[in-house]
Amino acid sequence: MSMTVTHDILIVGGGGAGLRAAIAAAEHSAGLSIALVSKVYPMRSHTVSAEGGAAGVMREEDSLDQHARDTIFGSDFLADQDAVEALVQEAPRELIQLEHWGCPWSRDPDGRISVRAFGGMSVDRTLYASDKTGFHMLHSLFQTSLKYDNIVRYDECFVTSLLIDDGKVQGVAFVNLFSGRVQAIHAKVVIMCTGGCGRVFPFTTNAAIKTGDGMALAYRAGAPMKDMEFVQYHPTGLPGTGILITEASRGEGGWLCNKDGYRYLQDYGLGPPTETPVHRKMELGPRDILSRCFVQEDQKGRTFEGPHGSYVHLDLRHLGEKLIDQKLPFVRELTRNYVGIDPVVEPIPVRPVVHYMMGGIHTDIDAKTPLDGLYAAGEVACVSINGANRLGSNSLTECLVFGARAGRAAAEYALDQPAPATNPVEALASDEQRRLDAQFFRKEGGTENVADIREAMQQTMEEGAGIYRDEARMQQTCNDLRELRERFANIRIEDRNDIFNTERIGALELDYMLEVAEVIANSALLRRESRGSHTRTDHPERDDANFLKHSLAYRTETGPRIEYAPVSITRWQPEERKY
Ligand SMILES: Cc1cc2nc3c(=O)[nH]c(=O)nc-3n(C[C@H](O)[C@H](O)[C@H](O)COP(=O)(O)OP(=O)(O)OC[C@H]3O[C@@H](n4cnc5c(N)ncnc54)[C@H](O)[C@@H]3O)c2cc1C
């Protein structure tokens, strides 16, 4: 065990939210020392793969109220309206500031920043940098963070637990992946920015690193998980790999067609079909509805059958080569490389794939969690602006707005905290070393294979917590997950090497995924209604009388305990969600 180090603020995660938080804290006070810990080099965070864009009001024909209303409507009224109002108000400033930091927003010939159409948005308001928006955003944030001497990075360090003493978060323990050593950092406040957990499902657009670590770490430390039953499927992923074909391809005018070449969305109340996209209609309907239409179309036998299951066609041919190369070059690159198809001359095979977690660590509007000394922002958090269904292009904006809010709030909190008389972290870190050795690094015996358990988890999640859900199948999934947890205690880890030991990392990540999966399935089981992405065949209607409320899952030894909390409603009264 090496000596522990001390910082004022510790941020776990170097994606969009983590970097934005670090910059905000560094700007707030040059006297604060800020640690940024990330299990991958920051530029490899999942934010880098965002394609379509970031939403914010830029034009006269748009308004903050319209952005707020679209978001709340899209959320099926589960979003907290005060949080949504903060998002839309602060978005334009954040997005323009990002350009000043170097993000090359695409522009119209008249010099104005371009905006494109996105699902569920009533006007064009999604800013983009071609179709590599996340890459440019993350790069701009990363290079800006380098300007601040008070940000200290710990790259390729895998956080394994929050250290708690006296009911308060005091820092983290992590494995340095390069050396295999367990170390600890003491901090006055921790901001969790570890992103989502799409990997608990078998087909996902999410990078392999999105395993819900931060959600599980906070949950284990006693923080509640909010609205975890809401899992977003994106209607257009590539079969097999799950690689995302951005919604911008439909925003630019792409069509979804069944095996007869028919634009089937017109049969589900989203019509009539038009040549150019019409807001909130047809292919620009929200993601939860489009994903359900696919399943119904499949049940009618009107989809294609392929080696990776059913699929439909995303047809971009009528857009022409020039537009595709200008506005969707990455789509062309991805489809050529991964399915051997040129979208200029052939339609792209697509199917719904798990994309985003609406739920996460419960926070207030300043990113503060109920656990003293812990803040959270980005996809790991649930503030909540997404409610039961997120609108595409709101998340990158969420990372900026609430990352910045978290950084500022944590800075103020840290400045208020006295320096601790003793450093309690050293002893806690030794305990963590012993735990990791016993359960993973020096574990003796064991017969279970990590990959087998992971696959079984993903399978049962798709069956019980997929696009359509019902009581019996969800209960089965909850039971399966308990059993998998028992099997996990008996895993076998053969590789004893300390340097970049991927077998160990895989086991640690599965530990967190099992935790998160259980919260998703149990929260879903108890929400006996259909709202946004949570669709139950046994309770097909939205039930505001009983379920216009957030679920909050707390960890107990026997599984999650679910409580409920009210939704903040400011100016938009719930109404039926029709497009
Ligand atoms: C393919 C794809 C395309 C998308 N396109 C768009 C889009 O066009 N518009 C939009 O608004 N949204 C989009 N999204 C969603 C959006 O990109 C994400 O929600 C957002 O980028 C998440 O950012 P984040 O900072 O919260 O997390 P991430 O970018 O996922 O970063 C997480 C960070 O946490 C670190 N970390 C995780 N666990 C640990 C651990 N145990 N120890 C240490 N560090 C850890 C990682 O190293 C990483 O640095 C897309 C998502 C995907 C998957």
Side-chain angles (χ1 to χ4, degrees):
M1 172 68 54
S2 66
M3 284 289 290
T4 54
V5 285
T6 295
H7 294 278
D8 295 304
I9 300 177
L10 185 150
I11 297 165
V12 190
L19 287 170
R20 184 66 192 89
I23 295 167
E27 274 182 335
H28 189 279
S29 166
L32 288 168
S33 148
I34 300 152
L36 188 92
V37 188
S38 177
K39 71 177 174 179
V40 297
Y41 194 74
M43 272 307 294
R44 301 191 61 198
S45 305
H46 187 70
T47 299
V48 81
S49 58
E51 301 167 24
V57 173
M58 287 285 142
R59 296 279 169 99
E60 315 72 62
E61 65 268 23
D62 199 359
S63 72
L64 299 179
D65 270 13
Q66 279 190 87
H67 189 188
R69 191 196 180 260
D70 288 345
T71 302
I72 291 161
F73 202 73
S75 82
D76 222 347
F77 292 91
L78 197 69
D80 283 317
Q81 297 184 5
D82 53 349
V84 174
E85 292 197 61
L87 174 88
V88 303
Q89 268 159 24
E90 289 163 35
R93 205 185 64 93
E94 282 290 334
L95 292 166
I96 288 168
Q97 174 173 264
L98 200 67
E99 187 171 68
H100 298 165
W101 287 345
C103 184
W105 296 125
S106 294
R107 283 179 180 270
D108 288 353
D110 66 5
R112 293 190 302 170
I113 290 176
S114 303
V115 282
R116 67 169 33 137
F118 243 70
M121 301 277 193
S122 59
V123 289
D124 295 5
R125 68 163 69 91
T126 299
L127 285 71
Y128 55 97
S130 178
D131 59 357
K132 294 184 179 166
T133 308
F135 170 81
H136 290 297
M137 280 185 61
L138 195 62
H139 211 281
S140 307
L141 289 168
F142 184 56
Q143 67 187 10
T144 302
S145 77
L146 299 177
K147 286 196 310 199
Y148 295 94
D149 293 336
N150 54 334
I151 300 176
V152 181
R153 289 213 326 275
Y154 296 81
D155 294 339
E156 300 182 327
C157 289
F158 188 117
V159 174
T160 58
S161 71
L162 284 170
L163 302 177
I164 313 275
D165 190 48
D166 213 9
K168 185 181 163 317
V169 175
Q170 308 274 5
V172 304
F174 64 86
V175 188
N176 182 329
L177 298 178
F178 192 76
S179 64
R181 289 172 75 180
V182 176
Q183 292 170 265
I185 300 179
H186 175 253
K188 293 175 178 168
V189 52
V190 171
I191 313 177
M192 200 60 90
C193 298
T194 48
C197 63
R199 286 278 156 173
V200 302
F201 288 86
F203 291 105
T204 176
T205 63
N206 285 193
I209 53 174
K210 294 196 73 172
T211 48
D213 307 2
M215 294 177 177
L217 294 175
Y219 179 61
R220 285 184 177 174
M225 302 295 296
K226 183 158 86 188
D227 294 341
M228 288 294 283
E229 57 272 42
F230 299 102
V231 178
Q232 177 163 81
Y233 277 77
H234 193 296
T236 59
L238 293 179
T241 57
I243 289 172
L244 176 76
I245 302 302
T246 173
E247 189 163 292
S249 56
R250 283 171 283 128
E252 297 296 344
W255 295 339
L256 283 171
C257 299
N258 68 14
K259 72 174 184 196
D260 308 317
Y262 175 69
R263 288 172 72 190
Y264 59 93
L265 294 173
Q266 60 191 289
D267 293 357
Y268 300 91
L270 288 166
T274 49
E275 280 287 318
T276 43
V278 176
H279 294 295
R280 295 171 160 200
K281 294 280 175 204
M282 291 294 291
E283 285 83 2
L284 280 182
R287 294 175 178 176
D288 54 342
I289 296 179
L290 262 53
S291 297
R292 288 196 286 274
C293 293
F294 171 90
V295 175
Q296 292 180 39
E297 201 60 11
D298 189 37
Q299 283 163 355
K300 292 178 190 157
R302 304 204 298 194
T303 56
F304 298 94
E305 264 317 306
H308 306 289
S310 314
Y311 64 90
V312 288
H313 273 158
L314 175 63
D315 197 346
L316 306 185
R317 290 174 295 181
H318 55 287
L319 301 180
E321 184 165 13
K322 187 158 164 252
L323 184 145
I324 292 175
D325 280 347
Q326 234 167 37
K327 298 208 164 154
L328 304 166
F330 195 41
V331 168
R332 195 172 188 191
E333 190 182 318
L334 286 172
T335 50
R336 274 178 160 167
N337 289 342
Y338 290 95
V339 280
I341 273 177
D342 181 356
V344 171
V345 291
E346 267 178 287
I348 307 166
V350 291
R351 59 160 282 171
V353 286
V354 166
H355 185 54
Y356 184 87
M357 279 305 295
M358 268 72 76
I361 306 168
H362 173 43
T363 73
D364 71 10
I365 198 166
D366 290 312
K368 189 172 169 17
T369 78
L371 188 59
D372 197 16
L374 183 68
Y375 290 70
E379 192 170 341
V380 73
C382 181
V383 51
S384 144
I385 62 141
N386 299 306
N389 175 62
R390 166 182 88 106
L391 294 190
S393 75
N394 267 348
S395 298
L396 291 173
T397 308
E398 179 180 357
C399 286
L400 295 174
V401 168
F402 290 95
R405 279 179 163 250
R408 289 191 295 263
E412 270 160 33
Y413 178 93
L415 290 170
D416 259 4
Q417 296 290 309
T422 55
N423 183 340
V425 163
E426 196 81 26
L428 293 169
S430 311
D431 293 347
E432 179 66 354
Q433 171 89 64
R434 274 190 294 277
R435 179 186 80 89
L436 290 170
D437 281 344
Q439 288 181 14
F440 300 98
F441 302 171
R442 312 270 170 251
K443 185 173 190 299
E444 297 295 337
T447 53
E448 292 282 356
N449 181 300
V450 166
D452 291 345
I453 299 177
R454 185 169 52 224
E455 232 178 274
M457 171 195 68
Q458 291 170 336
Q459 207 52 48
T460 192
M461 286 303 282
E462 181 162 80
E463 280 161 20
I467 296 176
Y468 282 100
R469 301 166 170 182
D470 67 57
E471 186 95 12
R473 280 197 326 207
M474 274 186 291
Q475 185 61 62
Q476 185 58 49
T477 293
C478 293
N479 300 349
D480 289 350
L481 291 169
R482 274 277 113 171
E483 205 183 296
L484 290 172
R485 173 54 74 190
E486 276 165 34
R487 281 174 59 190
F488 185 78
N490 190 30
I491 52 166
R492 180 173 186 80
I493 298 182
E494 280 164 359
D495 189 351
R496 291 285 147 116
N497 200 328
D498 278 330
I499 300 166
F500 283 111
N501 184 331
T502 51
E503 192 183 5
R504 276 182 193 174
I505 298 171
L508 286 168
E509 289 177 334
L510 178 59
D511 186 16
Y512 300 135
M513 284 196 285
L514 283 170
E515 197 83 76
V516 171
E518 231 191 341
V519 180
I520 296 172
N522 282 276
S523 305
L525 183 65
L526 294 186
R527 185 176 283 277
R528 297 197 174 88
E529 64 157 355
S530 291
R531 182 187 299 271
S533 69
H534 175 67
T535 312
R536 291 186 57 149
T537 51
D538 50 351
H539 296 279
E541 301 297 327
R542 193 173 92 190
D543 176 2
D544 284 349
N546 293 304
F547 286 104
L548 182 56
K549 52 192 183 183
H550 299 294
S551 64
L552 291 178
Y554 293 84
R555 190 170 190 277
T556 76
E557 277 313 306
T558 49
R561 180 184 83 241
I562 314 286
E563 296 180 6
Y564 293 92
V567 174
S568 147
I569 292 181
T570 57
R571 292 191 283 136
W572 293 271
Q573 287 308 313
E575 56 182 284
E576 192 188 348
R577 179 167 166 250
K578 264 196 163 149
Y579 287 95

